Amino acid sequence: MLIESAFRYPEAAIAATAPHSPEVAALVGAARPCALSYYRANEVIYAEGDAAGPLYLVVTGAVRIVRLTPDGRRQISAFHFAGEVFGFEAGAEHQDYAESVDGTGVQVLRPQSASGFGNCALALALKSLERANRHLVLLGRLSATERMASFLIDLTDRQGADGFVGLPMQRNDIADHLGLTFETVSRVLRTLKDKHLIRLARVDQVEILDPDGLSLLNA
Amino acid sequence: MLIESAFRYPEAAIAATAPHSPEVAALVGAARPCALSYYRANEVIYAEGDAAGPLYLVVTGAVRIVRLTPDGRRQISAFHFAGEVFGFEAGAEHQDYAESVDGTGVQVLRPQSASGFGNCALALALKSLERANRHLVLLGRLSATERMASFLIDLTDRQGADGFVGLPMQRNDIADHLGLTFETVSRVLRTLKDKHLIRLARVDQVEILDPDGLSLLNA
DNA sequence: CGACCAATTGAATTGATTCAAGGTCCGTGG
DNA sequence: CCACGGACCTTGAATCAATTCAATTGGTCG
């Protein structure tokens, strides 16, 4: 949907491979070695209509998975960070877009032994399904504040950080992920700040001051 | 969550097996024969915390998949009808409830050959994922009217009916699936009726008068 | 420095909810 | 057979959370 070129990068430019979960390690083992691609911000990794098949491992950076309504409204079904796998598709063609959020290194995974790959893929597909199902609750039943609290807690858990959470995506992306407008995202962050639950160290970095307080808002 | 007993029923009481999709047929082939259970309305098929593993094939009736927030708000992540498979779970324990909506026959599927079963399961798990992702767009970005139109079109497609759609679940269930209140569901159905897009033959049966008109509202 | 894009903040609007009556349907018991 | 009770559904009026519209501020890059 945006700029298209995805040029190769010297592997050295990509940070040391993130530690993988057992499921990801198994999948990588069952895949044959493929290109490691680097994308700058807002490039298309695959588009709606592209042939599905290979999976993708995020090595560095962040990826957003995007669906558009016919009239252009946007829903980001998920973000993926280093160590996570995306690209699952039921049919022959992708129904969504995968785009880099920031500078992003992506490893393509193609099946080596068909059966082994499939079995590893199942575990990860089920994780994606679980994620999606939890997000359905968020979109269907949580208030704006609760959505943001959930999102921040989720990011904290996945980034395994020290109380700081990176927000590499812009407010608009967060809004389209949480089913809100970017103005509301901005306002909610302000109220969380006013309640001393978070601190906005930078526009793209949040410090979690009170994880328990945030959890109470979570749902 | 509700009444617990699930008694066995004579197989004859259950209508002739619905024609299965190729994926479902393959899964049934790779499963060892297991109990066919009958549930009356609003019984629990599995609960949050129950051990995951087996899959379930809906033979007759309808099933709802439910998640609850800590304070009791409810999101129905999916409905399943005859010929559909549910019960996918990433971890060892279910994170949601499966409940019968009306009188429902369910076939339990347990792996016979581990690998064959897993490969068949992947295709169906991906279908569930695709469904969930489409529902994310509905919850995140569609208006109440659009949600209802989408829901009715989806049911039409899945029930393969002649312009009539059964609504075996009550308004409250529809609301908790579409992220609305039951009053809003009622009101939206009224406005669709006033626009001559549908007719409420009975409270649980909708006639689609103008599929194209509905599709225009779809998104 | 100036231009541009993203983020914040404020004020007015609105779609959906909440609260509150009724109405309909159906099974049960007199 | 019909009256009653309860569960579900419909409809109306008032409210509210989030959006829309509109500036303004902040940050980055040539």
Side-chain angles (χ1 to χ4, degrees):
Chain A
M1 11 176 357
L2 293 162
I3 318 150
E4 185 60 60
S5 83
F7 63 91
R8 202 70 43 81
Y9 233 56
E11 243 174 85
I14 294 181
T17 311
H20 295 152
S21 73
E23 291 86 354
V24 172
L27 188 77
V28 171
R32 66 186 152 85
C34 270
L36 180 59
S37 306
Y38 182 81
Y39 298 87
R40 281 161 297 180
N42 301 311
E43 292 187 321
V44 174
I45 298 170
Y46 63 73
E48 187 182 350
D50 281 2
L55 299 177
Y56 303 83
L57 169 65
V58 182
V59 178
T60 48
V63 171
R64 62 174 173 260
I65 308 298
V66 176
R67 287 190 178 224
L68 299 173
T69 64
D71 66 345
R73 281 171 283 175
R74 197 174 75 137
Q75 176 66 38
I76 295 182
S77 58
F79 290 108
H80 294 290
F81 302 100
E84 299 178 356
V85 173
F86 65 95
F88 296 102
E89 173 55 52
E93 294 183 358
H94 283 293
Q95 301 297 309
D96 46 31
Y97 298 83
E99 300 168 351
S100 53
V101 168
D102 50 0
T104 301
V106 171
Q107 171 84 57
V108 180
L109 305 173
R110 291 174 189 278
Q112 182 150 56
S113 65
S115 71
F117 192 80
N119 272 324
C120 298
L122 177 58
L124 290 166
L126 290 177
K127 278 200 173 179
S128 280
L129 180 60
E130 168 63 16
R131 242 176 221 307
N133 280 330
R134 274 193 278 117
H135 207 58
L136 289 178
V137 179
L138 180 147
L139 293 177
R141 287 293 173 238
L142 302 195
S143 70
T145 310
E146 292 168 330
R147 291 177 199 200
M148 184 58 70
S150 271
F151 180 63
L152 291 175
I153 291 170
D154 181 47
L155 287 187
T156 307
D157 294 345
R158 288 157 79 184
Q159 296 184 1
D162 45 342
F164 281 85
V165 175
L167 294 179
M169 69 295 289
Q170 56 188 50
R171 298 291 184 265
N172 214 326
D173 283 353
I174 299 175
D176 285 346
H177 185 48
L178 301 183
L180 303 169
T181 61
F182 64 88
E183 294 98 327
T184 300
V185 167
S186 196
R187 276 187 263 266
V188 169
L189 284 174
R190 180 136 190 12
T191 66
L192 294 180
K193 200 176 62 176
D194 290 349
K195 288 179 183 168
H196 306 292
L197 297 171
I198 64 171
R199 195 172 70 84
L200 279 166
R202 293 205 324 242
V203 75
D204 62 348
Q205 190 162 54
V206 176
E207 184 180 0
I208 309 294
L209 298 176
D210 181 356
D212 298 337
L214 260 195
S215 291
L216 290 178
L217 293 183
N218 180 4
Chain B
M1 9 174 359
L2 293 161
I3 317 149
E4 186 59 61
S5 83
F7 63 89
R8 203 69 43 80
Y9 232 52
E11 243 174 86
I14 294 182
T17 312
H20 294 154
S21 73
E23 290 87 355
V24 172
L27 188 77
V28 171
R32 65 186 152 85
C34 269
L36 179 60
S37 305
Y38 182 81
Y39 298 87
R40 281 162 298 181
N42 301 312
E43 292 186 321
V44 174
I45 298 169
Y46 62 73
E48 188 182 350
D50 282 1
L55 299 178
Y56 303 83
L57 170 65
V58 182
V59 177
T60 50
V63 171
R64 62 173 173 259
I65 307 299
V66 176
R67 286 189 180 225
L68 298 174
T69 63
D71 66 345
R73 281 170 283 175
R74 196 173 74 138
Q75 176 66 37
I76 295 183
S77 59
F79 290 109
H80 294 291
F81 303 99
E84 298 178 356
V85 173
F86 65 93
F88 296 102
E89 173 56 50
E93 294 184 358
H94 282 293
Q95 301 298 310
D96 45 30
Y97 298 85
E99 300 169 350
S100 53
V101 168
D102 49 1
T104 301
V106 171
Q107 171 84 57
V108 180
L109 305 174
R110 290 175 189 280
Q112 182 151 57
S113 66
S115 70
F117 192 81
N119 271 323
C120 299
L122 177 58
L124 290 166
L126 290 177
K127 279 198 173 181
S128 279
L129 180 59
E130 168 62 16
R131 241 176 223 308
N133 280 329
R134 274 192 280 114
H135 207 57
L136 290 178
V137 179
L138 181 147
L139 293 177
R141 287 295 173 233
L142 302 196
S143 70
T145 309
E146 292 169 331
R147 291 177 199 200
M148 184 57 71
S150 270
F151 180 62
L152 291 174
I153 291 170
D154 182 48
L155 287 186
T156 308
D157 294 346
R158 288 158 77 183
Q159 296 185 3
D162 46 342
F164 281 86
V165 175
L167 294 180
M169 69 295 288
Q170 55 189 52
R171 298 291 184 266
N172 216 325
D173 283 352
I174 299 175
D176 285 346
H177 184 49
L178 301 183
L180 303 169
T181 62
F182 65 89
E183 295 99 325
T184 300
V185 168
S186 197
R187 276 186 262 268
V188 169
L189 284 173
R190 180 139 192 10
T191 65
L192 294 179
K193 200 175 63 176
D194 290 349
K195 289 180 183 169
H196 306 291
L197 297 172
I198 64 170
R199 195 173 70 84
L200 279 166
R202 293 202 327 240
V203 75
D204 62 349
Q205 190 162 54
V206 177
E207 184 180 359
I208 308 295
L209 298 176
D210 182 355
D212 299 337
L214 259 195
S215 290
L216 290 177
L217 294 182
N218 181 3

